[in-house]
Amino acid sequence: MTTRLGAHELEALARLGTATIGEVGGARIRIIDGAIRPLDPSRARVAGHAFTVRCGPGDNLAIHLALARIGAGDMLVVDYGGSEDSGPFGEIMALAAQTRGAVGLVIDGAVRDRAEIIDLGFPVWSRGIAIPGTTKVDRGLVGQGCRLSGTDVDHGDIVVADADAVVVFDPGEATGILERGTARLEREAMIMERIRAGETTCEILGLD
């Protein structure tokens, strides 16, 4: 059974941020294609368990089916084949996900209703915006893993997303990442204090 992290652990991972997690996680971390960006970078920083969906471009039935099952602490992760020809996710679906406790959406595709989703405060990472609608015929695959632009995401993986990146890792790595990441942030805080006190980065890091 997949390890399930509590809300406090997910919040702590989000506070670390993707840059720190990438530094301390090394090869254990999978970085999602940088073309998938937040709708609102100023408020984008969340962590959750991947609730995976695979659906064909032009059809969003699988996303609706996922929203009937998604729960608190889940991050909706949708493989839409990279298509930006239609917008399978908009304001109504964002409200449905938010109401059920989902922490956000990462989609290898486009969304619609950008301003309305931002006003809701529901974090979304996507390739872009597209207003054409979709059909609701193909049930796709829900909860069986997916692939975002060449990166595999297993159902239940940890997803951390912020203004810099979207990263994915096995939940069994979370404790170690939290410990190493917290220690790194403490060291960085000490370095910044020394910089404010007048030292140079070369002096602090012993660089010639």
Side-chain angles (χ1 to χ4, degrees):
M1 186 175 183
T2 301
T3 302
R4 187 83 184 176
L5 303 187
H8 292 303
E9 293 169 296
L10 292 174
E11 290 166 5
L13 286 168
R15 285 194 298 271
L16 287 183
T18 59
T20 296
I21 289 172
E23 289 282 357
V24 302
R28 303 174 185 86
I29 305 302
R30 286 159 275 153
I31 303 174
I32 301 300
D33 186 350
I36 299 176
R37 306 298 298 164
L39 290 187
D40 184 6
S42 68
R43 295 191 295 178
R45 180 169 286 215
V46 296
H49 285 273
F51 196 102
T52 59
V53 179
R54 292 172 61 187
C55 51
D59 195 298
N60 72 351
L61 176 57
I63 303 176
H64 284 282
L65 297 176
L67 291 176
R69 294 169 47 189
I70 204 166
D74 287 333
M75 172 80 86
L76 185 60
V77 178
V78 179
D79 176 356
Y80 199 62
S83 174
E84 298 180 62
D85 294 332
S86 57
F89 187 97
E91 179 184 14
I92 289 175
M93 298 177 92
L95 177 61
Q98 187 179 60
T99 299
R100 293 187 63 85
V103 300
L105 163 73
V106 176
I107 180 169
D108 190 5
V111 299
R112 58 200 298 170
D113 301 333
R114 176 179 181 173
E116 291 81 3
I117 292 174
I118 290 174
D119 285 344
L120 276 175
F122 185 72
V124 169
W125 284 256
S126 73
R127 285 194 175 276
I129 308 298
I131 61 172
T134 58
T135 59
K136 296 169 177 57
V137 178
D138 182 3
R139 297 180 67 86
L141 293 174
V142 176
Q144 299 182 44
C146 65
R147 190 171 178 85
L148 301 188
S149 190
T151 300
D152 291 324
V153 182
D154 293 326
H155 191 74
D157 272 349
I158 301 299
V159 182
V160 181
D162 59 19
D164 289 337
V166 178
V167 299
V168 182
F169 55 92
D170 186 280
E173 302 288 348
T175 298
I177 286 172
L178 277 171
E179 291 174 352
R180 295 190 298 275
T182 300
R184 183 181 178 88
L185 290 185
E186 291 172 352
R187 288 194 301 273
E188 290 178 348
M190 291 172 57
I191 289 172
M192 287 188 283
E193 282 301 309
R194 292 175 66 178
I195 290 171
R196 293 186 183 100
E199 292 185 71
T200 69
T201 54
C202 287
E203 290 171 330
I204 296 168
L205 301 176
L207 304 174
D208 295 325

